[in-house]
Amino acid sequence: MYGRLAVRFTWAFMFALLFVGVTSGSNAHAVENTAVQTINFDSIGSRVIELQGGAQLSVQNGEPESEIAILRKDLRVYENNIPLGYAEKVHIWNAVGNQYAAIEYRLSGTGSVLLFDLFVINDEEVKQIFASHEYTHGKLTMLGADSLKVTFPTYEKGDVNVDPSNLASESYLINTDNTVSLKSETENDYNPLTAKAAGPYSNPAPEVINKMLTKAAIDNNIPPEVFKAIVWQESRWRQFTSDGYPLIGYDGRGLGITQVTYSQSHLDKNPGLEERLKTDIEFNINEGIKILKEKWNSTYVPWINDHSPEEIDHWYFAILAYNGYSKKNDPRLTAEQRTLLKYPKEAYQDTIYYHMTYDEGPGQLYVKPFPVSELVINYASSTATLMDFSAKKQYTIPGPFTTSKHFFVPGNTVATTAEVSLRSSATKDSTRKRFMLRGESVQITGGIRYAADNTQHFGWYPVKTMDGSVGYIASSYLTERASILSVFPDLIMSVRGYPEVATLVENKVISGYPDGTFRPDVPLNRLQAAIMFANELELDLTNVTDPGFNDVDPAYRFYPQIAAVQNAGIFLGDGQGNFNGTQELTRGQMAAALVRAYKLTERTETPFTDVAGVFKSSIETIYSYNITSGVSDTLYGTNDKLSRRDFSIFLYRTIVKAPQN
């Protein structure tokens, strides 16, 4: 009996089978071969085909499982249950008193995985003589009654699904003794479509496509970042080719911007569907959305945490399912295994995460990698290729989680998630108006906008910064203010200095006290200021020269920070060989330290009447950079003590206003 349950041969076993009894071409079937008859099956439905010797081929295509069986004398001599797949067609021919059948079937998903089995049938027996490995986007062509060829794409990292780097082909020869051998194997056999006259279609502008994809995703409770990354991988956001024709996968199956891949029987049963998928970009997008939602709601793949769709991190398995459940999307495979099995360089969902998160990529969004080491994926046997997730259907992963950045509205106060530029217009190619720190607060002043560039999947929000600057920031670098910082109980969001302190805390420049408070009005001493300068400037704390301060022991915990700021010329001591770490810092001393730390050079005469002596030039300098406006219109407060709150404000202003070296 030759039945199996979704079981495929391993490569080692397959090649052993291929080369058993290999004969020369002269031993192949000759002129008495009859023409090959090809019969297509509906993707949903039943069909019985009469075979030689009273045998019958029975096909039961359905959801979620299909079945192929060959019966002879009321016995099932072959059985293949296909979870999440369907039998597509059978090729039948006669030669030398035998009948032969090549049955093609596919696993569902846009990956369109092809497999096929070969049989010899006569009055005595039905015998399976070959079982293929899987071919992603494979296309089988009968070359005659004794040979066939499978063509399939080979993808390099960075390839888009519709445009593989190369095509490969494998040809198989059925010998007279009914063994099967690999006739030829070719690589890099890719012949791009020949040029033709311009077609009638053109793609919408990138910003229009961005809006269309975003709206379709939001309308269906899908994070736009997820859907846009998927469509980027499928087609690079193209519905049509550059010469004006519908974008169709090389094998003729994937259609349009989302590369929707329906069976031919499904297209035939729905008149007009294929044409709309080819020519109507909005319809095609909505079909892709429908497929992704079906994958999200699938019970075949696991859920993550509470399966709430707002968290992008929860879409890992739905993204995998969009491309199919084949072993090629098992992220645990090594590079060597992928090469041996002729799989893409990485699992589909990993490619989508790359598009969403790569710093220089189209998404530039931070999403934590899924903990692959926790995956439990099984296979029906060592030769099966369909992933089985039933052993673990729920995964609990820790936060924080990433949500879409497309829902901010005018008036929202948000924070930057990284060091980023404030741009003059809604594109990364515009002028940088100023440098933004991680954790810096900004206010959204208008609706999201999109660049005329399909490599910018994020949007751009018009914002106003704390210092009054206006410009645009990429949506992927913004987050709700509360999510960037746990608020100190004594420094709430509504009080002066909160945004500046929050930014410095987020950048690990300053921290609170062990009891969790910040104590904003406590005077800042020289040691605390030295630590903040060392942290913010990322001074070398290892290779320091001993400053020789009488009151600082080299074994002291903060000796490296004190030595580093002295070596950098920021704090010079009291002239008597002491650092005086516990001495409270004055506003005049602060001005001098800021000028030395950030090498500020501009000077402007001030309106202050209390500015004179050693700190005069430093105060004029920070006034020139709009770092200070004094304690009143005419007083700077040179000898006033400086609080932790005020120093944080001054340091923040200096960082964002000083020239970036």
Side-chain angles (χ1 to χ4, degrees), residues 114-189:
L114 167 71
L115 302 101
F116 68 92
D117 294 336
L118 289 175
F119 298 87
V120 59
I121 306 150
N122 54 43
D123 293 339
E124 302 299 325
E125 64 176 350
V126 175
K127 182 179 181 180
Q128 182 179 358
I129 59 175
F130 184 71
S132 79
H133 61 87
E134 61 181 44
Y135 295 95
T136 299
H137 292 292
K139 182 178 182 180
L140 186 148
T141 304
M142 296 299 301
L143 301 178
D146 62 354
S147 60
L148 57 87
K149 179 175 75 171
V150 180
T151 308
F152 55 97
T154 57
Y155 293 100
E156 300 297 330
K157 188 175 178 64
D159 280 356
V160 61
N161 283 9
V162 75
D163 293 324
S165 288
N166 300 294
L167 297 184
S169 65
E170 294 179 351
S171 297
Y172 297 99
L173 181 70
I174 303 173
N175 301 298
T176 53
D177 60 355
N178 292 325
T179 58
V180 179
S181 57
L182 188 64
K183 182 180 179 183
S184 65
E185 185 173 7
T186 60
E187 298 282 352
N188 304 320
D189 184 24

Side-chain angles (χ1 to χ4, degrees), residues 404-457:
S404 177
K405 310 301 183 180
H406 288 72
F407 296 101
F408 301 130
V409 297
N412 284 165
T413 297
V414 296
T416 54
T417 60
E419 295 180 349
V420 67
S421 296
L422 179 71
R423 297 288 181 182
S424 60
S425 59
T427 177
K428 63 183 180 182
D429 300 320
S430 62
T431 302
R432 185 174 79 175
K433 299 189 69 174
R434 83 165 177 82
F435 175 79
M436 303 287 294
L437 291 174
R438 173 183 169 87
E440 192 169 346
S441 293
V442 297
Q443 186 177 59
I444 304 294
T445 60
I448 194 169
R449 303 181 187 182
Y450 300 99
D453 180 353
N454 64 5
T455 67
Q456 298 181 44
H457 294 182

